[in-house]
Structure formats: structure tokens, C-alpha cells
């Protein structure tokens, strides 16, 4: 019996190592080849570089205009995520606290947005009317819009667990709706707000369809579009493409490692209650 | 009273931009899908069901995109759920370095799909790509393929990449579901002498149903909107073998035939509104009962 259990454990451990290795292999492949010379990297394999080519990163930053795209991505993702939290949290608060029939309908109507596909064609017209076509502000608004339904979904669930006594105490102390929300409720929402921020930051950082449709000048491109364009130009130089990819995914990996707890709780909230 | 404390303007901004940038374009799209709208002329003519006839006619390739999108969605739901569940059970217990494995297995989920596509473009390369290299090293030369340019393999390769990326994500959600199951059920089953399979079949699976529902819904909504992976890996080729709705939409966009393109999105919009209605209803119900 014991022996059986030991074998079972061994098999489980081997299995998980194999699968983890499969998960990480493509990423390791990129890391190793980012440090090679172009001929060494031409066959994208696991042989180690003769000498580590750190200048690949310098080349990529200059040729790929990565500084500009990095600043764009940080501002698009950062501002749109903050905008998204602000409007989603206030909306979720009012919707969750005042569950009259009309509000229930509105809540459902908004979270339907999790499913709805954007109409990229007619959205061009809307972008033109609102003078947001080909503008940085336009892409920021669109990024917020795409994140709002899911954010409201998460925050609504969270607010359901925040005691109403807090509101009452605030009202007795003479708070208006704005004071009540910003000085009493929002601080309590912080864990959920951080989750929403991180998730929407990652999603917008990784997105590339919206800029593909609505930004036509390279100086406004985010990292993803810059990488795609770089790949088109330097397909033969896998060392540079690899270095470019590393610089693009490094920020999300850092955010992931720092915010792991929040990302996972955000993804699982709504599906499972522990 | 409540109206004053929870004022409507709290909802108004989110609702407003959601309506302007999502709902209005969708409704406009329904109207314009019945027209010959394109990027070359300013005039738009009503042409009835012509765009839809084009999409659903067997001579054109649009049905291919719809079929592929459905096949992609169903196969990724099945594969990701099975692998995700297996992984969740594996990392739940009996494993050393659990947290390490969880972090690694989730890593593919946070990398941009576009970047994943570029990486796999190298891995699938028939001459030097990692997969064929490994097969050759194992002496399995006859198994090597032109993964992305062979009509029989291209779409399967895309599905494989998506499963690689998404299985860890599903694992995390299912793992949370498994950990929420009370130990007392398993203890009772032990007393009754139930084996591992019986415990899985009669305790884990039924109690995991809500979490499985959610992962299925997420995979479904995600699968129907697939674009990046296909765009980067094959751009719909070889021929039309890997075309999906959104790659066709994008080619209509670049061709300037907005009428057909918007009709394609309208088809998807109707499908997703219906499926989404039930899916979202289900998700928000779970939320309220939880």
C-alpha cells in the first residue's frame, strides 16, 4: 500500500514537471536566443550563446523605437485602468446598493458587454463624431470601455459584501454621496479595486486589435503593435525579435509576480466562493 | 432617500460611454449590414439581405470562417477544460513545490497572444523549428510536418497554441473550486470505502459544476472572438483553411467593404447576444447565491 502511494506520488511529480517544462519552454527559448548573434539565433534552439550579446537590447530599443512605445503603453494602460476603476466603482456602488428593478436591468445590460463583440466598422464613425479617431485619448477611452463590464461585475459582487452600516454611519456624519463614496466606501473597496486595476492593466497592455484599427501613426503605437511591426521588419533576426519580445513581456511578468494574489482572486471571484 | 445617497450620475458615466462605444455601434451595424457601405463612396444604398446571402452562400469562403470559429471554440473548450482540470487536481496535493508549479503553469496566460503567436511561429518552422528538431532527434522523421502551411495541420496547430496558452488559466479557476470543496465529503467517502475514481466522479465533478460552468462560459466568449493567434500564425491561410470570423472581418476592413464586414460582425453579434444572455445570467446567478 505504502509503496503504491510512493509510486503514485513519483508519477504525479514527474507528470507535473513535464507539463511545467512544456509551459516554460517557449519562454526560455526566447530568453536564450535574445542573447545570441543573428547567425547563432537563426535556428532558434537551446544551444547556449558563445558570448552574451547584451547589445541586442540596445539595438532593439533604438531600432524598434521601444522607449516611445513603452511610454505609450504605460500611459494607455495606466490612465484607462484608472478611469475604468473610477467609473466602474461608482457605478457598481450605486447599482449594488439601490437594487430597484430598473437598476437590476442596467446592471445586466452593462455586464452583457462581457459577451458583446465590438463593431469595428461603425465604431470608426462614432470615433470620428467624437473627434477621437487616431488620438491617444480615443484609444484610452476605448480601452476603458472594453474593461468596464467585467470590472463592474467584479466590484458589484464585492460591494455586496460591504456592510450597509458603513453607509449609514457616513450619512449620520453628514456625508453627501461623493464624500460617502470617496472617503468611506472606496477605501474599503481597495482590494477589489487593486484586482480590477491589475487585470485591466494586463489586458490593455496585451491588446493590439484596437490600435490596429484606430491608430494609424507609428508614434502612437503601444508595445504590442510596435513588436508586431518589428517582427515584420526583422523576421530573419530572431535574436533581435527575441530581445524585443523580452522587453515587451518583462513589465507584465513583473506585474504578474507582484500582483499574483490579486490576479488570481480577481479571476476566481464570481466563479467560486471559498 | 436612496436616490439621493446613490445618485444616478454615479452610474451615468460608465453607462454613457458603454452605450456610445459599444451599444450604438452594434445597433448601427445591424442597420448598415443591409447596405452596400464601403470606404470608396460616400453614398450608402440599402441592398436588403445581399450581404447575408453572400456570407451564407456555399460559393464564398465566409462559411469557412464561421465553421472554423465554431470548431475552434468547441475544441478549445474541451481540451482546456480537460487539461485544466487534470492540472488543478495535480497541483492540489501530493506535489512538491506546488506554488512554483502554479506560477509557471499560469505564466503563458499573461503573455500577449500576439507575442505567443510570434514565438510559436519559430517553434513550428519546418526547417529549424523546435518541434521538428525534437522529432528528428528522436528518430521520428516521418512525424515532422509543415505545421502552419499544411492544410491538414495548420488549424490543429493554432488550437494547440491556444490550449498551451489557456490551460493554466482554467487550472487556476478550477483549483479555487476544488479547494472550496469541504474535506468532510471525502472523509465520508473514505469511510464508505470509495476509490479515487468514485470520489472524483461523485464528489469532485458535481461540486465543481459551478466553476466548470464559469470556465466554459469564459472559454466560449473568448473562443468566438479569436483573432490575434490566427492573424499572427497563418493570417487565415493556407488558402482559407484557418480563416475565422475576425480574420475575415479584418480583411474586409482592409479591402474597404464595410457592408460585408459589418454583416459578419452582426452575425457574430446575434449569436453572442443569445449565448451571452444565458451565459451572463448564469454567471451573475452564481454570484448572488455564493
Amino acid at each position: 500500500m505504502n509503496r503504491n502511494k510512493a509510486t503514485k506520488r513519483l508519477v504525479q511529480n514527474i507528470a507535473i514537471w513535464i507539463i511545467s517544462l512544456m509551459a516554460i519552454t517557449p519562454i526560455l527559448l526566447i530568453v536564450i536566443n535574445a542573447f545570441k548573434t543573428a547567425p547563432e539565433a537563426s535556428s532558434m534552439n537551446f544551444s547556449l550563446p558563445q558570448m552574451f550579446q547584451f547589445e541586442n537590447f540596445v539595438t532593439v530599443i533604438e531600432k524598434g523605437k521601444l522607449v516611445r512605445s513603452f511610454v505609450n503603453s504605460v500611459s494607455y494602460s495606466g490612465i484607462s485602468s484608472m478611469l475604468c476603476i473610477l467609473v466602474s466603482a461608482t457605478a457598481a456602488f450605486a447599482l449594488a446598493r439601490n437594487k430597484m428593478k430598473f437598476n437590476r436591468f442596467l446592471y445586466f445590460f452593462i455586464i452583457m458587454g462581457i459577451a458583446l463583440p465590438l463593431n469595428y466598422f461603425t465604431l470608426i464613425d462614432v470615433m470620428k463624431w467624437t473627434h477621437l479617431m487616431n488620438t491617444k485619448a480615443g484609444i484610452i477611452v476605448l480601452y476603458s470601455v472594453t474593461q468596464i463590464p467585467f470590472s463592474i461585475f467584479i466590484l458589484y459582487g464585492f460591494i455586496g459584501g460591504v456592510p450597509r452600516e458603513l453607509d449609514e454611519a457616513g450619512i449620520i456624519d453628514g456625508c453627501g454621496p461623493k464624500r460617502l463614496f470617496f472617503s468611506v466606501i472606496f477605501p474599503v473597496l481597495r482590494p477589489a479595486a487593486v484586482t480590477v486595476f491589475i487585470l485591466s492593466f494586463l489586458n490593455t497592455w496585451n491588446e493590439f486589435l484596437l490600435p490596429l484599427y484606430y491608430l494609424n501613426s507609428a508614434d502612437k503605437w503601444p508595445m504590442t503593435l510596435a513588436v508586431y511591426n518589428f517582427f515584420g521588419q526583422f523576421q530573419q533576426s530572431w535574436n533581435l525579435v527575441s530581445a524585443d519580445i523580452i522587453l515587451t513581456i518583462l513589465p507584465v511578468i513583473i506585474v504578474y509576480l507582484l500582483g499574483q494574489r490579486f490576479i488570481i482572486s480577481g479571476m476566481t471571484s464570481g466563479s467560486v466562493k471559498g | 432617500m436612496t436616490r439621493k445617497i446613490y445618485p444616478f450620475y454615479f452610474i451615468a458615466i460608465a453607462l454613457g460611454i458603454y452605450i456610445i462605444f459599444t451599444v450604438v455601434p452594434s445597433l448601427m451595424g445591424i442597420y448598415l449590414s443591409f447596405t452596400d457601405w464601403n470606404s470608396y463612396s460616400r453614398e450608402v444604398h440599402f441592398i436588403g439581405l445581399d450581404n447575408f446571402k453572400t456570407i451564407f452562400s456555399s460559393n464564398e469562403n465566409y462559411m469557412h470562417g464561421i465553421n472554423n470559429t465554431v470548431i475552434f471554440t468547441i475544441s478549445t473548450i474541451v481540451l482546456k477544460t480537460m487539461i485544466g482540470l487534470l492540472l488543478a487536481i495535480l497541483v492540489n496535493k501530493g506535489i512538491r513545490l506546488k506554488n512554483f508549479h502554479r506560477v509557471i503553469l499560469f505564466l503563458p496566460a499573461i503573455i500577449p497572444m500576439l507575442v505567443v503567436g510570434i514565438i510559436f511561429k519559430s517553434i513550428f518552422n519546418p526547417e529549424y523549428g523546435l518541434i521538428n528538431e525534437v522529432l528528428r532527434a528522436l528518430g521520428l522523421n516521418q512525424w515532422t510536418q509543415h505545421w502552419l502551411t499544411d492544410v491538414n495541420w495548420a488549424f490543429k496547430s493554432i488550437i494547440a497554441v491556444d490550449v498551451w496558452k489557456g490551460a493554466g488559466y482554467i487550472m487556476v479557476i478550477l483549483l479555487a473550486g476544488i479547494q472550496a470543496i469541504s474535506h468532510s465529503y471525502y472523509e465520508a467517502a473514505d469511510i464508505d470505502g470509495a476509490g479515487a475514481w468514485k470520489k472524483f466522479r461523485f464528489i469532485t465533478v458535481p461540486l465543481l459544476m459551478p466553476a466548470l460552468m464559469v470556465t466554459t462560459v469564459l472559454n466560449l466568449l473568448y473562443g468566438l472572438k479569436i483573432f490575434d493567434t490566427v492573424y499572427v500564425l497563418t493570417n487565415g491561410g493556407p488558402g482559407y483553411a484557418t480563416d475565422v470570423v475576425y480574420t475575415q472581418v479584418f480583411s474586409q476592413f482592409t479591402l474597404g467593404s464595410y457592408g460585408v464586414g459589418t454583416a459578419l460582425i452582426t452575425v457574430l453579434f446575434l449569436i453572442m447576444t443569445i449565448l451571452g444572455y444565458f451565459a451572463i445570467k448564469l454567471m451573475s446567478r452564481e454570484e448572488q447565491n455564493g
Side-chain angles (χ1 to χ4, degrees):
Chain A
M1 186 64 191
N2 253 341
R3 220 199 193 152
N4 244 333
K5 258 200 170 149
T7 334
K8 201 178 141 198
R9 288 219 152 176
L10 188 69
V11 172
Q12 281 180 337
N13 276 290
I14 293 172
I16 202 71
W17 269 108
I18 292 174
I19 301 170
S20 285
L21 207 64
M22 283 168 73
I24 198 120
T25 295
I27 301 162
L28 289 180
L29 192 66
I30 290 294
V31 174
I32 287 180
N33 284 278
F35 293 99
K36 291 184 185 174
T37 60
E40 278 177 323
S42 66
S43 61
M44 279 296 269
N45 56 32
F46 275 106
S47 60
L48 289 173
Q50 293 241 308
M51 252 185 56
F52 282 84
Q53 310 288 326
F54 289 97
E55 62 268 29
N56 283 347
F57 292 92
V58 181
T59 315
V60 162
I61 290 171
E62 283 166 6
K63 282 195 186 166
K65 309 235 160 59
L66 279 196
V67 176
R68 195 181 59 192
S69 312
F70 183 82
V71 173
N72 285 344
S73 271
V74 169
S75 56
Y76 297 165
S77 300
I79 299 172
S80 68
S81 305
M82 280 192 281
L83 189 71
C84 169
I85 286 195
L86 188 71
V87 303
S88 303
T90 45
F93 175 59
L95 287 168
R97 280 296 197 249
N98 185 10
K99 287 187 180 165
M100 54 181 193
K101 225 173 177 185
F102 182 61
N103 278 357
R104 278 174 195 271
F105 165 76
L106 283 184
Y107 171 65
F108 189 76
F109 177 68
I110 296 176
I111 63 168
M112 264 301 279
I114 299 172
L116 297 187
L118 281 178
N119 192 315
Y120 296 100
F121 299 92
T122 45
L123 190 52
I124 299 174
D125 280 352
V126 174
M127 296 298 278
K128 282 182 184 158
W129 295 336
T130 48
H131 297 283
L132 289 171
M133 191 69 189
N134 282 321
T135 61
K136 293 183 174 182
I139 234 51
I140 289 173
V141 170
L142 285 183
Y143 276 147
S144 309
V145 176
T146 54
Q147 300 303 313
I148 283 173
F150 191 63
S151 306
I152 289 189
F153 176 67
I154 292 180
L155 290 163
Y156 186 89
F158 192 87
I159 290 167
V162 175
R164 264 171 191 274
E165 283 77 16
L166 273 181
D167 302 19
E168 284 155 19
I171 296 161
I172 290 167
D173 288 347
C175 287
K178 274 184 244 157
R179 278 260 320 269
L180 173 66
F181 180 76
F182 287 104
S183 22
V184 180
I185 300 299
F186 197 71
V188 185
L189 291 185
R190 213 159 57 198
V194 172
T195 301
V196 168
F197 183 84
I198 292 178
L199 283 177
S200 99
F201 191 91
L202 289 181
N203 286 341
T204 46
W205 186 280
N206 290 351
E207 216 273 344
F208 105 119
L209 245 178
L210 290 171
L212 190 64
Y213 277 100
Y214 305 113
L215 287 179
N216 57 10
S217 58
D219 56 318
K220 292 176 196 145
W221 284 349
M223 292 290 268
T224 42
L225 210 52
V227 169
Y228 183 66
N229 192 52
F230 188 87
F231 174 64
Q233 277 178 355
F234 294 92
Q235 280 201 33
Q236 310 306 325
S237 326
W238 274 109
N239 57 333
L240 296 183
V241 172
S242 301
D244 199 49
I245 286 178
I246 287 185
L247 292 174
T248 309
I249 63 176
L250 207 59
V252 283
I253 290 183
I254 293 170
V255 170
Y256 165 57
L257 292 176
L258 293 176
Q260 226 205 102
R261 195 161 58 90
F262 295 105
I263 295 172
I264 288 172
S265 71
M267 276 174 18
T268 51
S269 79
S271 50
V272 216
K273 285 285 157 69
Chain B
M1 184 67 183
T2 37
R3 275 199 192 185
K4 280 193 183 149
I5 316 161
Y6 311 115
F8 185 72
Y9 70 81
F10 268 26
I11 308 169
I13 306 175
L15 183 67
I17 57 176
Y18 170 66
I19 290 179
I20 295 171
F21 295 97
T22 309
V23 180
V24 167
S26 296
L27 298 179
M28 280 169 64
I30 293 179
Y31 166 68
L32 285 163
S33 60
F34 296 102
T35 68
D36 65 351
W37 185 31
N38 61 61
S39 62
Y40 312 113
S41 87
R42 294 186 141 258
E43 280 176 46
V44 171
H45 303 104
F46 191 78
I47 54 167
L49 288 170
D50 279 9
N51 290 328
F52 293 95
K53 279 185 195 147
T54 312
I55 290 173
F56 290 110
S57 99
S58 48
N59 305 327
E60 309 276 344
N61 300 300
Y62 298 108
M63 275 315 282
H64 222 87
I66 296 173
N67 284 341
N68 276 343
T69 306
V70 172
I71 294 171
F72 176 88
T73 306
I74 294 173
S75 37
T76 51
I77 288 176
V78 172
L79 290 169
K80 280 191 228 173
T81 308
M82 279 170 28
I83 297 172
L85 183 57
L86 177 79
L87 289 175
I89 292 168
L90 271 177
V91 295
N92 186 34
K93 52 184 179 183
I95 296 288
R96 288 176 192 199
L97 303 167
K98 263 184 248 175
N99 288 328
F100 168 80
H101 285 294
R102 282 178 204 167
V103 170
I104 297 289
L105 291 169
F106 188 68
L107 203 54
I110 59 149
I111 297 177
M113 201 62 239
L114 170 89
V115 165
V116 170
I118 297 175
I119 301 175
F120 273 89
K121 206 138 177 157
S122 99
I123 292 179
F124 282 134
N125 187 290
E127 276 100 50
Y128 58 75
L130 191 67
I131 293 191
N132 279 357
E133 285 282 301
V134 169
L135 290 172
R136 279 191 280 261
L138 294 171
L140 298 166
N141 286 38
Q142 70 277 16
W143 286 19
T144 60
Q145 301 290 345
H146 286 65
W147 300 104
L148 295 174
T149 46
D150 182 328
V151 181
N152 295 315
W153 283 98
F155 203 57
K156 292 179 190 129
S157 305
I158 290 174
I159 290 171
V161 172
D162 194 69
V163 171
W164 174 81
K165 184 176 160 65
Y169 186 103
I170 301 307
M171 168 196 82
V172 168
I173 298 179
L174 295 181
L175 182 64
I178 289 178
Q179 288 176 340
I181 299 174
S182 161
H183 278 289
S184 55
Y185 292 110
Y186 294 102
E187 281 155 17
D190 277 334
I191 293 168
D192 291 343
W197 167 251
K198 283 214 157 146
K199 279 190 268 186
F200 173 74
R201 170 76 186 77
F202 294 106
I203 299 173
T204 313
V205 172
L207 289 174
L208 205 54
M209 256 329 172
L212 283 167
M213 284 293 198
V214 170
T215 56
T216 306
V217 167
L218 291 177
N219 276 333
L220 174 80
L221 301 180
Y222 165 86
L224 293 176
K225 290 185 196 168
I226 187 68
F227 171 78
D228 310 25
T229 334
V230 182
Y231 182 65
V232 179
L233 285 173
T234 61
N235 197 12
Y240 302 96
T242 61
D243 247 337
V244 287
V245 174
Y246 268 125
T247 53
Q248 292 177 324
V249 166
F250 190 68
S251 24
Q252 297 306 319
F253 180 78
T254 48
L255 290 171
S257 17
Y258 292 178
V260 178
T262 206
L264 275 167
I265 292 190
T266 299
V267 172
L268 201 63
F269 176 81
L270 293 177
I271 297 173
M272 294 195 72
T273 309
I274 297 165
L275 289 177
Y277 177 82
F278 293 108
I280 302 287
K281 209 131 217 176
L282 205 88
M283 280 208 325
S284 48
R285 180 157 316 144
E286 291 306 333
E287 175 83 6
Q288 276 152 20
N289 291 349

